[in-house]
Amino acid sequence: MCRGQYLGKGGFAICYELKDVESHETFAAKVISKKRLIKSRAREKLLTEIRIHRSLHHRHVVKFERFFEDDKNVYLLLELCEAATLAAELSKRKRMSEAQAGSYIYQIVDALVYMHQQQLVIHRDLKLGNLFLQSVTEVKIGKIP
């Protein structure tokens, strides 16, 4: 694996682009320091996140690929959404058309119906920074913890 550019950080993870040198696949890698997982509650929350995220399979939910760990960190490999977050896009553009907003809202609601009604999962941290743009027209729900 080869670490690429810094993508962002959340409450307990730092995200980088990560390229598999053998397969040439590129992922978003959430890197969680094991120092943050000393308390059993923190480790349990991470294991729950992994269990839930790997069970979700929907076109508007960031895809969970796999996870691994070394002596210092746990790495969650996720689908890389290359366009940015909706927060960054709105900050850059300042506004969007009603049609564009409607398209994003449709996709978000589609993903939430899947998560809440079909999978019985509640996101609990839905915000513009956790809505990742796959392209100018496609948004996916994810989370930087």
Side-chain angles (χ1 to χ4, degrees), residues 12-13 15 25 27-28 34 40 48 58 66 70 79 81 83 93 99 106 119 121 123 128-130 132 136 139-140 142:
F12 73 101
C15 295
E25 291 179 287
F27 304 98
K34 287 188 173 178
S40 63
T48 299
H58 188 274
R66 62 185 180 272
D70 61 21
E79 171 185 15
C81 298
R93 286 205 278 170
Y106 174 83
Q119 299 298 310
V121 170
H123 191 285
L128 296 178
N130 286 337
F132 298 93
V136 177
V139 66
K140 294 191 174 211

Side-chain angles (χ1 to χ4, degrees), residues 31-37 43 68-75:
V31 182
I32 301 114
S33 170
K34 287 188 173 178
K35 291 177 183 176
R36 294 189 162 270
L37 301 174
R43 186 151 186 85
F68 61 93
E69 59 186 293
D70 61 21
D71 293 342
K72 295 181 180 180
N73 300 304
V74 176
Y75 304 85

Side-chain angles (χ1 to χ4, degrees), residues 12 14-16 18 27-32 46 49-50 53 64-69 74-79 145:
F12 73 101
I14 299 174
C15 295
Y16 295 96
L18 196 68
F27 304 98
K30 286 170 60 169
V31 182
I32 301 114
L46 176 62
E49 177 186 348
I50 291 169
H53 202 158
F64 181 91
E65 296 289 344
R66 62 185 180 272
F67 77 98
F68 61 93
E69 59 186 293
V74 176
Y75 304 85
L76 279 62
L77 300 187
L78 308 170
E79 171 185 15

